[in-house]
Amino acid sequence: MTADAVPAPSARASSSAVIDALRAIVGSRHVLVADADTRRFATGYRFGSGAVRAVVRPATLVELWRTLQTCVEASVIIIMQAANTGLTGGSTPHGDYDRDVVLINTLRIKGIHPIDEGRQVICLPGATLYELEAVLKPYGREPHSVIGSSCIGASVFGGICNNSGGSLVQRGPAYTELALYARMDEQGKLHLVNHLGVALGDDLEDILRRVESGAFDPETITHDCARQASDHHYCDHVRKVDDPTPARFNADPTRLYEASGSAGKVALLAARLDTFPRENDTATFYIGTNSVADLAQIRQDILRNFTALPVAGEYIHRDAFDLAAQYGKDTVIAIERLGTDRLPSLFALKAKVDAWARKLPFLPDAFSDHLMQAGSRLFGDHLPERMWTYRDRYEHHLILKMSGDGIAEARAYLQARYPNSDGDVFECTGTEATKAFLHRFAVAGAAVRYRAVHNREVEDIVAIDVALRRNDRDWFETLPEEIDRHIIRKLYYGHFFCHVFHQDYIVAKGVDPVALEHAMLGILDERGAEYPAEHNVGHLYTAKEPLVQHYRALDPCNSFNPGIGNTPRGAHWR
């Protein structure tokens, strides 16, 4: 299905006429043009910001489609955005463009439709991971991710468009081949592509209304099609611990498919996804060791020999433990006392406080972070005593969660292995397990908090998201002294069994973080690692050739999110 072609340049609407047309579609209240109103949408969660002509917030799929048509006809750049929780600036503008930029925020377009008794869902652009988790709870099922991105209000579509990973070993990257999306062809015509596996008729706007309302009969849904709604092969893939390639990374050509890995080069309107049985019978083991080889052997043994794969296996280094204990404490306490459903609202309130504080020059930058850090000191110690004991004794920590028959398998294996000269293990109580995973989750935000509170000593954060080779047993990094001396704090944490690590470096004032990052990436290249692993290129990383080819095939006019991955910004990839 195709919209009208783009008019010749002489017929293109003026900038003010475009704004008027957009207001007629979504209402004046939902077309933001003043810098004070657009700033929170045009500034990335952790990185990136730029100028936009307008931020448009449609409330329906039909409004979204008409907004896209208007932007295409005006030859403006389109940046699609949902929750704006990405870490690499991939859904915000960055730098200069050759055309006006219109940012379309889709969070008002809510909707999640369970199908096949909850074994699958069809999600709309504004659906968040937390909302999906709540919808699936009565079915005894879960989405791809359940802790981490879900807590900060991340969208379902963000995971799909960026092939995001997650902490759950058996689920791999977020992925689907079943989607409804809009794209432009080589002639600048806008098309609606229906690959949802649902028969919805031929009238374009009627299709959009039916998807939004969930008005499709069960017999119109195809369940035996060749297209997949998740990565069905990842469990076998991650077990191949002798292969000299990473398990998952954003530029993996086998996981780039239409909207999956598209990074905003199409406008995703609906996505059909698999869901997963909720694990009710679980046990968590907390392992501490001073040996890199010790943890490497555990990973090899479990992935190669266990009948059951772990539910999760999260690594945290002692230095990351310490920083999270001090600068992520309020995050853990907030989740414990208020629940994950309140956290997105708290992040929204935080943004409003900072916007207010910017108007008062005597208040520090990131005022809310200073406020929350001071408030966290009012609470007592929030971590269990056994975790602190292991922190004092051991440099490396692994939180291993097993379910079903895997519990007995892991218990017998770990009892035979520990204690030894390098480490030990304890089986967590329910409270300890919850605290351990929340503490690990808090590490990512702790570096950002440290930067905000110590901005006079800190230049910036270099955050590297890396996938190591599956057969790399020497997995822990040792930096050369010429790099190490410029770093105040190093945080190592990640998804150990997938060999995906997050490495955050807090860089000293006066040091060029870009030059430092390039030196670090060169070391990773020599190790055969891939990066980014799960946060996608955004405007921080240079996209590798398979990713660039994927982008060019989806968006030959380069009108959607140009410049992503340091690609050309000009129309038609000039």
Side-chain angles (χ1 to χ4, degrees), residues 23 28-43 52 54-57 81 103 355 358-359:
R23 285 171 173 158
S28 297
R29 179 183 175 189
H30 300 295
V31 179
L32 312 177
V33 294
D35 288 345
D37 296 328
T38 62
R39 183 181 292 113
R40 71 185 181 97
F41 298 96
T43 302
V52 296
V55 172
V56 185
R57 304 183 66 230
Q81 180 190 89
L103 190 155
R358 276 193 292 268
K359 299 175 183 178

Side-chain angles (χ1 to χ4, degrees), residues 31-326:
V31 179
L32 312 177
V33 294
D35 288 345
D37 296 328
T38 62
R39 183 181 292 113
R40 71 185 181 97
F41 298 96
T43 302
Y45 176 71
R46 180 187 258 182
F47 171 83
S49 63
V52 296
R53 181 65 186 87
V55 172
V56 185
R57 304 183 66 230
T60 69
L61 288 181
V62 171
E63 286 186 2
L64 174 53
W65 174 258
R66 293 174 180 173
T67 297
L68 292 168
Q69 283 183 306
T70 299
C71 291
V72 168
E73 291 167 2
S75 294
V76 300
I77 285 169
I78 300 166
I79 295 180
M80 301 297 299
Q81 180 190 89
N84 190 21
T85 59
L87 301 183
T88 58
S91 60
T92 53
H94 183 76
D96 297 323
Y97 298 90
D98 62 340
R99 294 152 285 170
D100 280 347
V101 175
V102 171
L103 190 155
I104 303 175
N105 182 279
T106 61
L107 274 188
R108 294 179 67 217
I109 310 175
K110 298 290 188 183
I112 298 168
H113 306 304
I115 58 177
D116 193 21
E117 298 181 334
R119 284 185 281 272
Q120 288 187 331
V121 289
I122 293 177
C123 294
L124 301 186
T128 66
L129 284 167
Y130 172 74
E131 290 164 349
L132 179 54
E133 192 174 347
V135 167
L136 291 175
K137 192 171 184 179
Y139 295 93
R141 301 186 72 83
E142 294 178 333
H144 172 269
S145 298
V146 294
I147 185 70
S149 297
S150 57
C151 290
I152 59 174
S155 69
V156 175
F157 280 19
I160 296 299
C161 292
N162 293 303
N163 279 148
S164 299
S167 64
L168 301 176
V169 178
Q170 303 169 31
R171 300 182 189 176
Y175 180 78
T176 188
E177 298 169 359
L178 297 161
L180 178 75
Y181 61 93
R183 68 176 295 268
M184 285 176 66
D185 66 14
E186 293 83 350
Q187 286 74 45
K189 295 181 179 179
L190 190 66
H191 297 263
L192 181 67
V193 180
N194 179 13
H195 288 164
L196 271 180
V198 182
L200 295 165
D202 298 316
D203 182 271
L204 192 149
E205 291 197 354
D206 186 53
I207 288 172
L208 299 177
R209 293 188 186 97
R210 289 179 66 187
V211 169
E212 187 166 348
S213 66
F216 28 77
D217 297 327
E219 57 266 25
T220 65
I221 302 172
T222 303
H223 289 285
D224 58 350
C225 60
R227 294 172 180 263
Q228 301 176 359
S230 65
D231 186 346
H232 294 178
H233 307 294
Y234 188 73
C235 287
D236 294 329
H237 183 72
V238 75
R239 283 187 180 271
K240 297 176 181 177
V241 292
D242 297 317
D243 282 17
T245 56
R248 56 179 170 90
F249 56 99
N250 289 131
D252 185 349
T254 66
R255 295 181 180 89
L256 301 176
Y257 191 94
E258 297 181 352
S260 292
S262 61
K265 301 302 285 183
V266 297
L268 184 56
L269 306 177
R272 180 174 164 185
L273 308 169
D274 287 335
T275 67
F276 304 87
R278 179 182 293 275
E279 302 284 2
N280 295 316
D281 179 20
T282 64
T284 299
F285 304 89
Y286 198 100
I287 301 163
T289 182
N290 290 313
S291 168
V292 169
D294 189 30
L295 287 190
Q297 191 61 53
I298 290 174
R299 176 178 169 273
Q300 292 263 328
D301 290 344
I302 290 178
L303 292 180
R304 183 183 283 122
N305 302 326
F306 273 34
T307 301
L309 278 175
V311 175
E314 292 295 287
Y315 168 76
I316 178 171
H317 184 264
R318 177 191 280 154
D319 293 343
F321 184 109
D322 290 348
L323 205 77
Q326 185 173 357

Side-chain angles (χ1 to χ4, degrees), residues 78 85 132 207 249 330 334 380 436 447 464 486 491 499 513 530 540 572:
I78 300 166
T85 59
L132 179 54
I207 288 172
F249 56 99
D330 58 306
I464 296 179
H486 297 300
L491 307 184
H499 248 199
E530 290 282 356
L540 274 177
H572 299 279

Side-chain angles (χ1 to χ4, degrees), residues 450-496:
Y450 186 95
R451 177 180 63 181
V453 174
H454 300 279
N455 63 312
R456 294 182 180 179
E457 298 88 37
V458 175
E459 184 67 33
D460 208 344
I461 299 170
V462 171
I464 296 179
D465 167 37
V466 60
L468 300 183
R469 293 178 288 111
R470 280 171 284 175
N471 67 346
D472 191 348
R473 295 177 67 90
D474 189 19
W475 53 271
F476 190 73
E477 178 180 74
T478 302
L479 289 173
E481 195 277 334
E482 61 267 22
I483 293 177
D484 194 66
R485 62 191 173 90
H486 297 300
I487 299 171
I488 299 173
R489 306 287 288 269
K490 299 190 293 288
L491 307 184
Y492 296 103
Y493 55 104
H495 316 307
F496 190 67

